[in-house]
Amino acid sequence: MVMDAYAELVEGYKIFRHEYLDNKFEAYRSWAAKHQSPKTLIIGCSDSRVNPAILTHAGLGEIFVVNNVANIVPPYEKGRSHHKSLGAAIQYAVNHINVEHIIVMGHSGCGGIAALMAIDPTQREDADEDDYIADWVSILAPAKEAVTKTGVKLDADEALRLAELEGTLVSIRNLAGYPWVRAAVARQQLTLHAWYFHIDSGELLSYHPEEGRFRRLCTD
């Protein structure tokens, strides 16, 4: 009999619980019950195929993670932001956890970017006057504009791929505008990174601002 998806989660938790209560996690449980001190914040996509902890083989307590559609960081808006949830996570990570790195991680086949690049978003079945998807991804309008202004003839897949890459850079620029981030970067206590994950090949790219391009994070 095929197991229900929820039942699979329960069975998975049983395995985790058995391992977690093992002696090898005793010291961690005692420490983690009181605080956390990850050194990295990863802002990733909600896409089920892109899990930062799995991709980086990170253990419990090693990364602070925020997920949303298309891994978007809205621009900082003093006192009037409509996106306080993400801003609160950034503020907490920088000011209270004192993370040393923030990574914005995009990926191939992103549905949010596809919605951004759609010729006529109103043709989606669920599009109406209360369109949360279109409103949210419109934050990355500069990425779409960058793609249309390349002057190079791109097919649909190439345009989407470029928009996915540009989207991470828009979010990095927005991230740099948050006062807590800007101050920590100025003190050389925080470094910002843009990553891009190819789902089909498993390659992870990292943006090199001094070169103005993405390169493989590692080659071995």
Side-chain angles (χ1 to χ4, degrees), residues 10 17 19 21 27 39 43 46 64 97 147 182 184 205-206:
V10 174
R17 182 176 183 276
E19 295 177 348
L21 295 179
K39 299 303 181 185
I43 301 172
S46 301
F64 193 64
I97 303 179
V147 172
R182 186 167 60 247
L205 308 181
S206 177

Side-chain angles (χ1 to χ4, degrees), residues 105-128:
M105 187 170 70
H107 68 94
S108 62
C110 181
I113 297 298
L116 171 72
M117 298 298 288
I119 296 175
D120 187 359
T122 63
Q123 295 304 306
R124 282 200 340 269
E125 290 183 3
D126 64 337
D128 56 27

Side-chain angles (χ1 to χ4, degrees), residues 123-164:
Q123 295 304 306
R124 282 200 340 269
E125 290 183 3
D126 64 337
D128 56 27
E129 69 278 3
D130 198 19
D131 192 342
Y132 277 60
I133 295 174
D135 182 56
W136 175 248
V137 300
S138 68
I139 294 170
L140 295 184
K144 182 175 184 177
E145 183 178 355
V147 172
T148 59
K149 289 185 175 180
T150 59
V152 178
K153 186 175 179 57
L154 303 171
D155 64 31
D157 288 340
E158 291 171 333
L160 284 174
R161 182 62 55 86
L162 182 56
E164 290 161 353

Side-chain angles (χ1 to χ4, degrees), residues 27-29 39 41 46 72 75 87 90 95 98 103 135 155 186 190 216 219-220:
Y28 173 80
R29 292 197 308 271
K39 299 303 181 185
L41 163 63
S46 301
I72 295 173
I90 294 169
N95 289 353
N98 300 313
I103 300 168
D135 182 56
D155 64 31
L190 178 65
R216 289 180 178 178
T219 56
D220 55 353

Side-chain angles (χ1 to χ4, degrees), residues 2-186:
V2 178
M3 187 178 295
D4 172 76
Y6 183 78
E8 288 184 359
L9 295 178
V10 174
E11 289 303 311
Y13 166 68
K14 289 178 182 178
I15 296 172
F16 165 79
R17 182 176 183 276
H18 176 76
E19 295 177 348
Y20 188 66
L21 295 179
D22 189 86
N23 289 338
K24 68 179 180 180
F25 276 105
E26 185 174 355
Y28 173 80
R29 292 197 308 271
S30 177
W31 169 82
K34 300 179 180 63
H35 57 82
Q36 63 171 324
S37 58
K39 299 303 181 185
T40 303
L41 163 63
I42 297 182
I43 301 172
C45 186
S46 301
D47 194 297
S48 62
R49 302 164 296 175
V50 188
N51 186 312
I54 292 175
L55 295 183
T56 60
H57 207 65
L60 291 170
E62 292 183 359
I63 55 175
F64 193 64
V65 180
V66 177
N67 293 323
N68 64 56
V69 172
N71 41 271
I72 295 173
V73 178
Y76 174 73
E77 298 175 289
K78 183 176 177 58
R80 61 184 182 88
S81 173
H82 298 296
H83 308 291
K84 293 186 182 296
S85 175
L86 185 58
I90 294 169
Q91 180 181 353
Y92 184 74
V94 175
N95 289 353
H96 297 270
I97 303 179
N98 300 313
V99 296
E100 298 172 358
H101 302 273
I102 301 180
I103 300 168
V104 175
M105 187 170 70
H107 68 94
S108 62
C110 181
I113 297 298
L116 171 72
M117 298 298 288
I119 296 175
D120 187 359
T122 63
Q123 295 304 306
R124 282 200 340 269
E125 290 183 3
D126 64 337
D128 56 27
E129 69 278 3
D130 198 19
D131 192 342
Y132 277 60
I133 295 174
D135 182 56
W136 175 248
V137 300
S138 68
I139 294 170
L140 295 184
K144 182 175 184 177
E145 183 178 355
V147 172
T148 59
K149 289 185 175 180
T150 59
V152 178
K153 186 175 179 57
L154 303 171
D155 64 31
D157 288 340
E158 291 171 333
L160 284 174
R161 182 62 55 86
L162 182 56
E164 290 161 353
L165 293 167
E166 289 289 343
T168 64
L169 301 183
V170 171
S171 284
I172 284 289
R173 290 195 293 271
N174 289 345
L175 181 62
Y178 285 73
W180 324 289
V181 172
R182 186 167 60 247
V185 170

